[in-house]
Amino acid sequence: MTTASPGTPQEAPGTVDPVRRIRRTGFSIGLATGLYGISFGALATSSGLDVWQAMVLSAVMFTGGSQFAFIGVIGGGGSALGAALASVLLGVRNTLYGLILARSLPRHGGKGLARVQLTIDESAALAASGSDERERRAGFWAAGVWVYVFWNLFSLVGAVAGQFVADPRAWGLDAAAAAAFLALLWPRLRSADAVAIAVAAAFIALVTTPSLPPGLPVLAAALVAVLAGLLPARRSAEPPRRETPPDPRPRTEDPR
């Protein structure tokens, strides 16, 4: 017979510990996200990188959107500067995630450095789903670690396979990158303003692609969101409701 301390949370029979559930979710997210690494590895080697360069890029940069942007610019004949700018622009959001999660996660030492590397969309989203500090930490580390492991593992598989595939686009691997972007964008289109900004950015990218060097249309499209954020908030067109003044006459109770 064991006696639990008063501070130990008791798990009711038949229930699943929320932390264990979050860790399992992190493993599933890591596996599903890591599969996109096959596309990245194959496209990286077909764009002119060798296997080791692709793996170093994957392990060090470790943000899928920035990695796809980098090899997209390089593969399209763009400059290294344009590729770097596109990658940095897409990776800025991770800095915002880090600021939001700063209170829940370590900021110093080895764990602090690991947190910087593992702050991505998936780890931030799973951490935000936690109801307390313990669950938020578990969600962040579970998603971050498993995505890192599976992403680099499948990137290696794709990089090796890409050397034996004449055109990875013929296998639809380039479409996987676009699908990943759409999967990240779609849940954020919850308002008319967000939809309008997305449509305007897509239009700018479409118009500037034939005339600008590879990589710069991405930056031009991003300026649409920056300018939209600088505009003053739009006031509601609905007039303010007038409160009905209370009736000054005394109320009489029903004698019944």
Side-chain angles (χ1 to χ4, degrees):
M1 180 176 180
T2 59
T3 303
S5 62
T8 303
Q10 297 295 318
E11 184 177 342
T15 62
V16 179
D17 181 11
V19 172
R20 293 177 59 188
R21 175 179 53 81
I22 287 178
R23 287 172 178 167
R24 291 174 184 173
T25 303
F27 177 84
S28 301
I29 291 175
L31 180 58
T33 305
L35 290 172
Y36 287 110
I38 298 177
S39 176
F40 166 74
L43 293 175
T45 51
S46 68
S47 298
L49 302 181
D50 58 29
V51 174
W52 288 109
Q53 289 173 331
M55 292 309 302
V56 169
L57 181 64
S58 180
V60 175
M61 185 177 288
F62 187 56
T63 168
S66 298
Q67 292 176 226
F68 279 116
F70 186 91
I71 62 173
V73 174
I74 294 297
S79 64
L81 179 60
L85 288 176
S87 301
V88 169
L89 182 64
L90 289 174
V92 166
R93 69 187 188 279
N94 293 340
T95 303
L96 302 178
Y97 297 155
L99 293 176
I100 295 173
L101 298 172
R103 295 183 179 180
S104 303
L105 298 172
R107 288 174 285 180
H108 305 287
K111 287 187 176 182
L113 293 176
R115 178 183 68 87
V116 172
Q117 183 70 357
L118 299 179
T119 300
I120 54 176
D121 297 302
E122 292 79 8
S123 61
L126 192 56
S129 68
S131 59
D132 55 30
E133 296 293 321
R134 182 167 167 259
E135 293 180 12
R136 282 190 283 271
R137 290 194 187 103
F140 175 86
W141 292 114
V145 169
W146 284 119
V147 170
Y148 190 86
V149 170
F150 284 119
W151 178 267
N152 285 282
L153 176 62
F154 286 114
S155 293
L156 177 59
V157 173
V160 173
Q163 295 181 318
F164 303 97
V165 177
D167 185 9
R169 293 170 179 81
W171 294 76
L173 295 178
D174 55 333
F181 279 121
L182 289 177
L184 293 174
L185 176 63
W186 187 260
R188 291 165 172 77
L189 301 180
R190 298 179 179 177
S191 64
D193 290 342
V195 173
I197 292 173
V199 171
F203 176 77
I204 293 297
L206 183 64
V207 170
T208 57
T209 295
S211 56
L212 293 179
L216 294 185
V218 177
L219 302 179
L223 289 177
V224 175
V226 173
L227 294 175
L230 295 176
L231 295 176
R234 186 175 58 182
R235 295 183 178 180
S236 176
E238 184 179 346
R241 297 181 180 179
R242 295 182 179 179
E243 296 184 0
T244 304
D247 190 352
R249 294 175 296 179
R251 297 179 62 183
T252 58
E253 297 183 0
D254 192 345
R256 288 178 294 178

